[in-house]
């Protein structure tokens, strides 16, 4: 009955989330349902297990949600995101429309700009380029996904995405964990995705399918109207770190900066993150962190998060200094950025709290034993567990945290026993979270299709190819290389 209760609770949570119910309500309700079927004390699970774990997630990762959302909002309102998109359009032009959209997404998201901020700028850019190149607009969502939601989120070394930060406290790693494996994975995803997009474009041209004025008019969407949809907001807030509704607040600059001014804060994010991770944090004396007043932790456990915090803070300061005159309502913009982090971090924390309650129930032992018995070693087992949980929750960060909370210590112990570098665990875990989470109910998928004015029937097949098939191929390559040669 315990295992059946877990399945019923999970199914109810997925169904209600898909119907637009707030995860802040349904996650604790589903957790209590699972606990009730196992005959466990309900109030104790809610106040101690659920809230204790959710609060721990907020305490650990809220600075990253806050700074990431704030940086994305400042980049948007200063005109920097638009300037980068325009620069990429001018540089590559309609003859390389697919590549221009993909690379613009890569620059923005690897530089720390929130996924949803990028969506609202890249969609109009893609419409203009695809119209000039006479490419069917149904391919736009796949091109945007390839540039924003694949290797820049999970594979490129040092990416400031929240998913890349989550494994660091569990494995004592840095944002640059297994850089060689990450680069290999990125090349696999990019090469496969561009091959698929080029193949689709060639097929469309042979069939005489172009941009199509009528079809494009049907697909045109108003980003402001999309951001205000309650269903979009609820799903998006569990998928990534930015509340789309806050994209409408603040005041955008009427004048965009030059391309190099717009790009400099992104360079600062990467450069400071690298410097902190490889040179400064390892030289700090963190012995005091072992004291109870500092949580009884270690520098190895918190150093990676500190690196990303400092990198985003430095980039925000750089951005404000360079664009002071282009931020006419700085207080409102920063307030909107801060508010944009609140709902996502609480939504993901609620998913994590649900996972914590489920992990304590007797029925979960069956699931744990099945996952740990999967042949192929800890990398394969970790990949399966994270993929399944990310798919079920529709959240890469939520599924990843649930998996590591329940089994991270076991995987780390097994890796040490066989001499496997924890950095490989880090990279496999992050990449696994970014594959099967891209299912139809994922908030990022729903939001992107709405922003592009597309439907699942028109464009989801392309998203599957570049957002699931390509990352799965890259994940298989990383698992094989990690097993054979370890981290590099």
């Amino acid at each position: 009955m315990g295992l059946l209760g877990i399945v019923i609770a999970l199914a109810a949570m997925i169904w209600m989330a898909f119907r637009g119910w707030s995860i802040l309500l349904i996650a604790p309700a589903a957790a209590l349902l699972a606990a009730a079927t196992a005959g466990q004390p309900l109030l104790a699970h809610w106040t101690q297990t659920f809230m204790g774990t959710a609060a721990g997630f907020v305490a650990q990762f809220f600075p990253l949600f806050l700074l990431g959302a704030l940086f994305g909002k400042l980049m948007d309102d200063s005109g920097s995101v638009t300037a980068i998109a325009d620069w990429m359009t001018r540089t590559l032009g309609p003859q390389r429309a697919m590549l221009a959209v993909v690379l613009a997404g890569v620059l923005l998201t690897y530089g720390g700009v929130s996924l949803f901020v990028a969506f609202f700028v890249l969609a109009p850019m893609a419409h203009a380029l695809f119209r000039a190149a006479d490419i069917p607009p149904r391919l736009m969502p796949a091109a945007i996904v390839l540039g924003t939601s694949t290797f820049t989120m999970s594979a490129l070394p040092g990416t400031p995405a929240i998913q890349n930060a989550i494994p660091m406290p569990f494995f004592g790693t840095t944002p640059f964990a297994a850089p060689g494996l990450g680069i290999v994975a990125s090349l696999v995803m990019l090469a496969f995705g561009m091959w698929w997009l080029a193949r689709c474009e060639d097929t469309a041209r042979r069939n005489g399918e172009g941009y199509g004025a009528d079809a494009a008019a049907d697909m045109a969407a108003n980003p402001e109207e999309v951001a205000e949809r309650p269903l979009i907001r609820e799903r998006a807030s569990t998928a990534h770190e930015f509340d789309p509704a806050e994209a409408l607040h603040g005041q955008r600059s009427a004048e965009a900066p030059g391309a190099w001014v717009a790009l400099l804060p992104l360079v600062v994010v990467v450069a400071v993150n690298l410097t902190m991770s490889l040179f400064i944090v390892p030289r700090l004396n963190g012995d005091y962190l072992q004291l109870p007043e500092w949580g009884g932790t270690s520098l190895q456990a918190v150093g990676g998060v500190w690196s990303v915090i400092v990198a985003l803070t430095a980039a925000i300061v750089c951005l404000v200094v360079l664009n002071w005159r282009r931020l006419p309502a700085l207080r409102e913009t920063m307030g909107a950025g801060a508010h944009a982090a609140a709902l996502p971090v609480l939504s993901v924390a609620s998913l994590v709290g649900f996972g914590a309650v489920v992990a304590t129930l007797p029925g979960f032992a069956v699931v744990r034993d099945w996952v740990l018995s999967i042949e192929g070693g800890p990398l394969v087992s970790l990949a399966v567990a994270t993929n399944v949980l990310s798919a079920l929750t529709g959240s890469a960060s939520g599924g990843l945290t649930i998996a590591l909370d329940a089994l991270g210590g076991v995987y780390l112990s097994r890796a040490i026993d066989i001499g496997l570098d924890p950095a490989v665990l880090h990279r496999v875990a992050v990449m696994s979270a970014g594959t099967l989470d891209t299912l139809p109910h994922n908030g990022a998928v729903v939001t992107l299709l709405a922003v592009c004015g597309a439907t699942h029937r028109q464009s989801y097949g392309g998203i599957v190819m570049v957002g699931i098939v390509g990352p799965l191929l890259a994940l298989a390559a990383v698992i094989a290389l990690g097993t054979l040669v370890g981290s590099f």
Side-chain angles (χ1 to χ4, degrees), residues 36 101 113 147 155 176 218 221 249 253 369 389 450:
V101 172
V113 176
F176 293 86
D218 293 339
H249 300 160
S253 172
D369 292 343
L389 288 168

Side-chain angles (χ1 to χ4, degrees), residues 127 137 211-222 229 449-455 457-458:
H127 267 298
Y211 185 74
D214 294 338
D218 293 339
M219 296 184 74
N222 181 353
R229 296 180 192 174
L449 291 175
V451 170
C452 292
T455 65
R457 182 181 61 82
Q458 292 170 317

Side-chain angles (χ1 to χ4, degrees), residues 365-376:
V366 178
V367 179
R368 183 183 61 245
D369 292 343
W370 170 76
V371 170
L372 295 177
S373 67
I374 295 174
E375 297 183 359

Side-chain angles (χ1 to χ4, degrees), residues 56-358:
F57 180 87
V58 174
Q60 198 162 43
F61 295 112
F62 180 65
L64 300 186
F65 277 82
L66 174 65
L67 294 172
L70 181 58
F71 180 62
K73 184 59 178 168
L74 286 167
M75 285 286 292
D76 188 22
D77 279 9
S78 67
S80 298
V81 177
T82 302
I84 293 170
D86 291 344
W87 173 70
M88 190 61 67
T89 299
R90 294 192 306 270
T91 301
L92 295 178
Q95 66 274 18
R96 298 184 183 89
M98 289 287 194
L99 183 61
V101 172
V102 171
L103 292 184
V106 170
L107 285 175
L108 292 173
T109 51
Y110 186 57
V113 176
S114 171
L115 188 70
F116 294 106
V117 173
F119 283 174
F120 289 121
V121 174
L122 292 175
M125 169 195 175
H127 267 298
L129 284 171
F130 279 40
R131 182 186 299 111
D134 200 29
I135 299 173
R138 61 180 175 81
L139 299 178
M140 287 189 339
I144 295 174
V145 164
L146 178 59
T148 62
S149 309
T150 56
F151 55 94
T152 60
M153 184 182 81
S154 63
L156 272 183
T159 174
I162 185 65
Q163 292 82 1
N164 193 43
I166 288 173
M168 295 191 294
F170 294 95
F171 300 139
T173 47
T174 74
F176 293 86
L181 291 176
I183 291 172
V184 170
S186 299
L187 292 174
V188 171
M189 291 187 219
L190 178 60
F192 178 83
M194 290 305 303
W195 168 79
W196 176 260
L197 290 172
R199 179 177 179 272
C200 291
E201 181 182 349
D202 290 342
T203 301
R205 292 193 187 282
R206 287 197 303 271
N207 294 337
E209 180 187 5
Y211 185 74
D214 294 338
D218 293 339
M219 296 184 74
N222 181 353
E224 294 187 358
E225 185 270 332
V226 170
E228 289 180 333
R229 296 180 192 174
L231 184 61
I232 293 290
R233 188 184 187 194
E234 290 299 339
R235 293 184 184 176
S237 295
T238 60
H240 277 274
E241 68 280 2
F242 195 92
D243 181 354
E246 295 298 333
L248 308 179
H249 300 160
Q251 183 177 339
R252 289 184 174 88
S253 172
E255 174 192 359
W260 295 112
V261 172
L263 285 167
L264 185 57
L266 309 185
V267 175
V268 168
V269 170
V270 178
V272 174
N273 194 2
L274 179 65
T275 303
M276 287 291 298
S277 298
L278 301 187
F279 303 106
I280 296 179
V281 170
R283 289 173 170 78
L284 295 178
N285 182 2
D287 294 343
Y288 67 94
L289 292 170
Q290 300 175 14
L291 299 175
E293 56 264 37
W294 300 109
T297 185
S298 66
L299 183 62
Q300 190 179 26
V302 300
V305 174
W306 286 4
S307 297
V308 180
I309 288 174
V310 173
L312 288 172
T313 302
I316 288 170
V317 172
C318 173
L319 176 58
V320 171
V321 170
L322 291 176
N323 295 279
W324 183 263
R325 295 183 178 180
R326 283 181 286 270
L327 292 167
L330 181 61
R331 178 171 59 85
E332 289 81 359
T333 292
M334 296 190 74
H339 296 159
L343 182 58
V345 72
L346 291 177
S347 298
V348 177
S350 295
L351 286 174
V352 173
F354 167 81
V357 172
V358 168

Side-chain angles (χ1 to χ4, degrees), residues 400-443:
L400 178 58
T401 307
I402 292 171
L404 296 183
D405 271 340
L407 300 169
V410 177
Y411 289 126
L412 181 59
S413 176
R414 290 190 172 188
I416 293 173
D417 288 343
I418 64 175
L420 181 66
D421 190 338
V424 183
L425 291 177
H426 175 125
R427 191 53 54 210
V428 168
V430 178
M431 290 180 60
S432 300
T435 51
L436 292 186
D437 74 311
T438 313
L439 292 180
H441 66 286
N442 176 270

